[in-house]
Amino acid sequence: MRPRSPGLFLLLLWGLQAESQEEVRAMVGSDVQLRCIYPEKNSFDLNDLYVYWQISMAGKGNVDSVVTYHLSGNSSASHGDNHYKDRARLSLDSMKQGDFSLHLRNVTPQDEQKFNCLVFRKSLELKKILEVAVTLHVAANYSMPVVSGPSQDEELTFTCTSTNGYPRPNVYWINKTDNSVLDSALQNNTVSLNARGLYDVVSVLRIGRTPHVNVGCCIENVLLHQNLTSGQTETFTGTKDSITEDPVDGSPSGKHQQVFSVLAVLAVIVLLALATGWLCRSRCPPKSQTGAQVARPKLALAEHV
């Protein structure tokens, strides 16, 4: 009896176990091929083949959802799940050579599934000639983590954000002075799925106030073996009692500014003094010593008279 729908035919497949296992990794937005190849060199008549690619529905026991399929007598492959319409494809020419691989376009996080390939021959009374299980792992790069803070409060608070990654990340805070990992009890992580099905993470670190803090935030993507660490986050704080209304004055840069200000004032004073002296010399004519010697006899003559 020829099955008229993939759902009816799946009843005959219930309980079948995969004979070979493969694992494939793909990036979100990329294209991937899930291999299902007959082990012996052979040629096939498409009218003699039933080919199914299906996935197990999460939380529904043994109920499977058909991704795409080819039935004996059909000139093209069809789709069972609308999620895979126009994205999942079988090559008819390749199937004639024993290659029943699934070509999947524009991978999404929802494609992280276990796919089963099943091939039957009509001429052999629907005997199963091939079964392959392919587990697809999906990944996406997280954005470079950005750290803001610290807040000036009873304790120092730093906030780290990173977005659009997959799968769920591990988050660490690092003491960059000695590259040690800070106690996870000091941090509070919030990981959420965004509209694209990717993860966004916000991590808040709270530590006691110390004079010198140098911390970094690390986002680990286990599937990609990738660790992204934030840039330099170095802070000079001091204790709370030492904080004044103008914290810049006590910093090294504030001290340098004070020294430069004093030197600038002294330089202005010196320049003004030099300018004043030069003006006096140019406007006041010098006294003549010859004139002074002539004046004395005149004064003596007047006294004599």
Side-chain angles (χ1 to χ4, degrees):
M1 174 181 177
R2 175 180 170 178
R4 299 190 179 186
S5 70
L8 177 61
F9 189 72
L10 285 175
L11 295 176
L12 301 176
L13 310 181
W14 202 315
L16 292 176
Q17 300 297 321
E19 295 179 354
S20 64
Q21 302 276 344
E22 291 188 12
E23 293 192 6
V24 177
R25 185 181 69 187
M27 300 296 290
V28 171
S30 68
D31 300 342
V32 67
Q33 175 179 286
L34 308 183
R35 289 166 52 87
C36 180
I37 300 177
Y38 192 73
E40 301 175 6
K41 187 175 181 179
N42 200 350
S43 59
F44 293 90
D45 180 2
L46 295 180
N47 291 323
D48 190 37
L49 293 175
Y50 289 90
V51 181
Y52 285 82
W53 275 93
Q54 59 192 36
I55 56 176
S56 298
M57 298 297 291
K60 295 186 178 181
N62 293 327
V63 177
D64 295 322
S65 174
V66 175
V67 175
T68 187
Y69 58 91
H70 168 80
L71 300 180
S72 172
N74 285 8
S75 59
S76 62
S78 301
H79 300 86
D81 192 330
N82 287 333
H83 177 66
Y84 295 100
K85 186 177 181 181
D86 299 327
R87 294 200 306 123
R89 181 179 64 84
L90 296 174
S91 171
L92 298 181
D93 290 336
S94 297
M95 287 195 295
K96 294 177 182 180
Q97 307 302 319
D99 185 351
F100 308 99
S101 299
L102 175 68
H103 301 268
L104 185 61
R105 297 177 55 253
N106 192 20
V107 171
T108 70
Q110 292 74 26
D111 293 331
E112 186 165 81
Q113 303 279 353
K114 182 178 180 180
F115 293 77
N116 293 313
C117 170
L118 303 168
V119 182
F120 300 83
R121 291 192 65 174
K122 178 181 178 181
S123 60
L124 298 178
E125 298 181 351
L126 296 180
K127 178 183 178 181
K128 182 182 66 177
I129 62 171
L130 181 64
E131 183 175 5
V132 176
V134 183
T135 300
L136 177 60
H137 299 285
V138 178
N141 290 309
Y142 281 89
S143 64
M144 185 63 68
V146 176
V147 175
S148 59
S151 62
Q152 300 294 332
D153 205 343
E154 293 289 342
E155 56 187 3
L156 299 178
T157 302
F158 297 87
T159 302
C160 172
T161 58
S162 182
T163 60
N164 292 324
Y166 200 89
R168 189 182 182 94
N170 294 324
V171 184
Y172 307 98
W173 284 89
I174 299 173
N175 181 352
K176 287 191 172 182
T177 303
D178 57 7
N179 290 325
S180 60
V181 178
L182 299 179
D183 187 356
S184 60
L186 300 174
Q187 67 190 63
N188 182 24
N189 301 331
T190 301
V191 182
S192 58
L193 282 172
N194 59 29
R196 298 177 57 193
L198 303 176
Y199 286 105
D200 296 337
V201 58
V202 177
S203 179
V204 177
L205 174 71
R206 294 182 174 86
I207 57 177
R209 183 177 295 280
T210 57
H212 179 211
V213 178
N214 189 3
V215 296
C217 173
C218 179
I219 304 295
E220 181 187 19
N221 190 321
V222 176
L223 185 59
L224 295 178
H225 305 288
Q226 182 183 68
N227 288 285
L228 299 176
T229 304
S230 63
Q232 193 76 1
T233 308
E234 189 167 2
T235 304
F236 296 91
T237 58
T239 61
K240 183 180 180 181
D241 295 337
S242 66
I243 297 178
T244 63
E245 293 182 358
D246 187 7
V248 175
D249 292 341
S251 65
S253 60
K255 293 179 180 179
H256 293 162
Q257 291 177 357
Q258 292 176 356
V259 172
F260 291 148
S261 299
V262 173
L263 291 177
V265 172
L266 291 176
V268 171
I269 293 173
V270 171
L271 290 174
L272 289 175
L274 293 175
T276 302
W278 180 81
L279 290 173
C280 289
R281 290 181 182 178
S282 62
R283 294 182 180 181
C284 299
K287 294 181 180 180
S288 174
Q289 295 183 359
T290 305
Q293 293 175 356
V294 173
R296 288 194 186 97
K298 289 182 180 179
L299 180 60
L301 179 59
E303 291 177 351
H304 178 70
V305 175

